[in-house]
Amino acid sequence: MPKPLLFLDVDGVLNPVCPDPEGDFDAHTLLGCTVLLSARHGEWLRELTGNYELVWATTWEEKANTHIAPAIGLPELPVVRFTGHVPQPGDPRVPLMELFSARKWAPLLRYAGGRPFAWVDDVIPPRLVRGSLFRRDRLLLPIDPGQGLERRHVDRLLARPPRTALARSTISRWAAS
């Protein structure tokens, strides 16, 4: 059975917006912008590869592999494409007030294709977070963009990775044995 996916954002998650975030961040000039990155994020993400298949879910798209991954010691990762996204029949409806914050939702669901996943981002609509609380196949982790990814988030991801819900027939067979 494949590992659950871990969708990773960059800005606000690996690149905190606070000018002096807690931790050991180094400033990098990437694509004309100053980006704060930490080697410990790379360590934590490599630790998570034991439980997850990491996937970039960032507007950096393939540029995350060129600029972010090498800076924090990650290999090239698959990328969810957001640029040029065209809504498809069956995409979830997004309320007008959430168009910006939920713009990644349909492409993430399409990429996951029914696989369990976790999503780590600084812009996840609270409605989506609430809707995922009682689902075993999804974990949505909103991140404080000022501080970015913290150890407690990694510990949460490791403690209870999302998984496919057991089918009723599987539960019945298990209960009968």
Side-chain angles (χ1 to χ4, degrees), residues 18 48 69-70 78 81 97 103 105 137 165:
C18 184
L48 287 167
R81 306 264 181 244
M97 296 301 290
R103 73 188 185 287
W105 190 233
D137 64 338

Side-chain angles (χ1 to χ4, degrees), residues 3 31 60-61 63 68 83 88 97 132 138 140 174:
K3 298 176 190 176
L31 303 173
W60 283 74
E61 293 184 339
K63 291 179 181 96
I68 305 300
T83 303
Q88 304 284 321
M97 296 301 290
S132 72
R138 300 182 185 159
L140 278 53
W174 178 75

Side-chain angles (χ1 to χ4, degrees), residues 36-59:
L36 299 175
L37 297 173
S38 174
R40 79 182 155 157
H41 283 158
E43 293 169 15
W44 293 346
L45 293 172
R46 286 189 301 277
E47 180 181 352
L48 287 167
T49 62
N51 293 40
Y52 292 91
E53 178 184 324
L54 277 55
V55 179
W56 291 121
T58 172
T59 55

Side-chain angles (χ1 to χ4, degrees), residues 158-172:
L158 290 170
R160 289 192 325 263
R163 58 185 186 265
T164 304
L166 295 174
R168 288 188 188 276
S169 60
T170 304
I171 294 171
S172 299

Side-chain angles (χ1 to χ4, degrees), residues 77-95:
L77 302 176
V79 176
V80 176
R81 306 264 181 244
F82 300 113
T83 303
H85 167 70
V86 176
Q88 304 284 321
D91 279 355
R93 295 181 57 125
V94 176

Side-chain angles (χ1 to χ4, degrees), residues 64-176:
N65 280 322
T66 305
H67 300 285
I68 305 300
I72 61 173
L74 288 181
E76 189 170 302
L77 302 176
V79 176
V80 176
R81 306 264 181 244
F82 300 113
T83 303
H85 167 70
V86 176
Q88 304 284 321
D91 279 355
R93 295 181 57 125
V94 176
L96 185 60
M97 296 301 290
E98 293 180 358
L99 281 178
F100 174 76
S101 61
R103 73 188 185 287
K104 293 181 178 179
W105 190 233
L108 292 178
L109 290 174
R110 191 172 309 119
Y111 188 97
R115 278 178 68 182
F117 66 88
W119 180 23
V120 179
D121 204 312
D122 63 312
V123 184
I124 301 176
R127 176 185 61 83
L128 293 178
V129 175
R130 285 189 306 274
S132 72
L133 289 177
F134 299 105
R135 295 189 63 127
R136 294 171 48 144
D137 64 338
R138 300 182 185 159
L139 171 59
L140 278 53
L141 268 179
I143 304 295
D144 172 3
Q147 294 300 316
L149 185 69
E150 297 176 329
R151 183 66 213 190
R152 65 186 173 91
H153 301 119
V154 175
D155 291 341
R156 170 61 183 91
L157 288 162
L158 290 170
R160 289 192 325 263
R163 58 185 186 265
T164 304
L166 295 174
R168 288 188 188 276
S169 60
T170 304
I171 294 171
S172 299
R173 279 193 306 249
W174 178 75

